Amino acid sequence: MPETVALMPQPTPATAPFTVLAPGRVNLIGEHTDYNDGFVLPMAIDREVTIRVRPRRDRIALLSTDREPGTTTLDLAQPISPLACGPGNWSAYPAGVLAGFQQLGWEIPGFEAAVSATLPAGGGLSSSAALEVATATLVETLCGRSLEPLEKALLCQAAEHTFAGVPCGIMDQTAVCCARAGHALLIDCRSLERRHVLLPAELSVLVINSGVKHSLADGAYARRREECAAAAAGLGLASLRDLPAADATARLASLPLPERARAHHVVSENDRVLRFTEALAKRDWPTAGRLMVESHWSLSRDYEVSCPELDQIVERALILPGVYGCRMTGGGFGGCAVALVDAARAAEIGSLLHESYRQATGIAADWFLTRAAAGPRVMVSAS
Ligand code: GLA
């Protein structure tokens, strides 16, 4: 195997084979706040999507993955349509990104792309955002030009809206594009201002997969968005971001259910993100952990996006010494939970939680400890 070196997209178009990698993300706190113009605090993880790329001399793209049979063929000289990949096909995500670059007027050369991943699909760890951002990095490398990271995140989000039919917020793509190793990313989803927040070495981040399949495309996510928009309209606000937590109880009383409960979650969650960030800066891990737990029960009871299995993980995690906090992470309806734990005991906590969850549910959950990783990268052959 020839040695490889990591490079960002180079200012000259790539003609030799190369590999792009983009990380998944776990959200520490700030769930279902991004599409309400609120605050989120995700971090990129050290599990990723990898695309091995072989440039071609024509304008044809051939997309394949080791997870599903078949190859998608796209003619890059023609506008790519959302119907190009067939209903529910995984290649809608990369195809949407390619279409986004076409709309910017980029002439994308032909290529073969083989996708693989160490990220579980449908686990709520943004495998789709990782695939989109890896594809965008592939196009930058092929074309020898780059977008600004935020522009790239917006292009990937638009691909998910129009090609995958998921009306997602901007958190996942921004977390993946803009991540810095060792840091979480505080994002103000209204202004899109970002701040890197150091995660100290005494803390470990544990991710445990409930094993319950998560799908955002089935309409429940879109319905939550609509309920939040209806709540904001009912209060005469542009978005729920405009309601301060201190005024919430009195103002929300006028709303019907479920809008009142949805809005209560969003307003209280925005406040928790800011308090969590302050607690980290003060090295006050118990307070940070408590805010994660409050976030979980707010998502479970007010937002109704948890499930019995995720609730079990949280309850069982909190009994274990060295666990500061635990909550579901991502869109919900299954997927993963995230725990903030004492680094010295992290591995032991992971296996105890795995065993306790297995006894309760019969599910042998996949779990791992992760570092806060950096954003996308490109590897080219050194020879
Ligand atoms: C999914 C979406 C994000 C965000 C989360 C919930 O991951 O892609 O935009 O809304 O759900 O916080």
Side-chain angles (χ1 to χ4, degrees):
M1 270 263 284
E3 244 191 3
T4 54
V5 287
L7 295 171
M8 283 317 285
Q10 290 297 289
T12 48
T15 50
F18 61 93
T19 301
V20 290
L21 303 102
R25 67 95 189 91
V26 68
N27 189 17
L28 295 178
I29 195 160
E31 218 65 84
H32 290 277
T33 45
D34 61 349
Y35 53 82
N36 288 299
D37 281 354
F39 298 102
V40 293
L41 188 70
M43 60 177 238
I45 61 176
D46 51 16
R47 298 222 162 176
E48 51 201 7
V49 164
T50 301
I51 311 184
R52 290 182 206 293
V53 187
R54 187 171 290 281
R56 291 168 60 102
R57 291 180 187 278
D58 57 16
R59 303 290 306 282
I60 300 296
L62 296 174
L63 312 175
S64 63
T65 167
D66 61 0
R67 290 199 177 157
E68 286 181 38
T71 299
T72 298
T73 304
L74 301 170
D75 180 355
L76 296 165
Q78 303 298 326
I80 299 168
S81 129
L83 304 174
C85 306
N89 192 277
W90 70 275
S91 59
Y93 294 93
V97 172
L98 297 171
F101 280 99
Q102 286 183 326
Q103 282 154 23
L104 292 180
W106 289 36
E107 290 211 348
I108 310 167
F111 63 92
E112 287 171 32
V115 177
S116 58
T118 50
L119 261 177
L125 299 176
S126 287
S127 52
S128 38
L131 177 56
E132 290 150 12
V133 173
T135 306
T137 309
L138 171 171
V139 174
E140 291 175 320
T141 310
L142 275 177
C143 295
R145 306 161 62 177
S146 295
L147 294 177
E148 287 302 315
L150 200 55
E151 222 183 326
K152 189 164 157 182
L154 287 163
L155 184 149
C156 291
Q157 181 200 27
E160 186 142 349
H161 286 191
T162 50
F163 274 64
V166 180
C168 62
I170 190 59
M171 167 171 72
D172 303 344
Q173 293 79 7
T174 308
V176 174
C177 284
C178 304
R180 179 182 291 173
H183 294 73
L185 188 68
L186 176 64
I187 310 168
D188 176 337
C189 298
R190 170 167 274 172
S191 65
L192 296 181
E193 276 169 37
R194 292 148 338 262
R195 177 149 66 86
H196 296 283
V197 174
L198 183 72
L199 284 176
E202 302 99 284
L203 294 178
S204 277
V205 174
L206 169 73
V207 177
I208 178 158
N209 193 336
S210 69
V212 177
K213 204 72 180 163
H214 136 119
S215 163
L216 294 182
D218 68 1
Y221 180 89
R223 211 152 48 241
R224 294 298 181 285
R225 267 196 95 136
E226 287 158 15
E227 289 162 353
C228 289
L235 295 168
L237 300 171
S239 88
L240 291 175
R241 160 71 176 274
D242 296 315
L243 184 60
D247 298 350
T249 313
R251 301 268 316 265
L252 294 182
S254 64
L255 292 176
L257 286 171
E259 283 84 355
R260 191 193 321 153
R262 308 295 189 244
H264 183 259
H265 165 72
V266 172
V267 172
S268 60
E269 184 79 350
N270 275 331
D271 188 50
R272 281 189 286 271
V273 176
L274 300 178
R275 287 195 285 141
F276 181 94
T277 309
E278 271 170 36
L280 277 191
K282 289 185 188 148
R283 311 174 71 77
D284 180 356
W285 322 138
T287 299
R290 211 161 36 241
L291 289 162
M292 290 175 82
V293 178
E294 282 175 23
S295 165
H296 179 79
W297 293 116
S298 175
L299 286 158
S300 180
R301 292 174 186 144
D302 280 345
Y303 221 69
E304 296 180 276
V305 291
S306 183
C307 61
E309 292 82 357
L310 285 168
D311 292 352
Q312 279 283 340
I313 292 178
V314 171
E315 279 170 2
R316 286 167 183 273
L318 293 176
I319 303 169
L320 301 173
V323 174
Y324 296 113
C326 183
R327 57 184 287 277
M328 57 154 276
T329 186
F333 313 105
C336 291
V338 59
L340 201 61
V341 305
D342 175 0
R345 299 176 176 181
E348 185 195 348
I349 291 169
S351 28
L352 288 172
L353 185 54
H354 169 93
E355 187 48 28
S356 159
Y357 182 65
R358 196 187 58 74
Q359 279 175 14
T361 61
I363 301 172
D366 185 25
W367 65 273
F368 59 94
L369 297 167
T370 182
R371 290 172 306 105
R377 62 196 199 281
V378 183
M379 318 267 282
V380 295
S381 170
S383 55

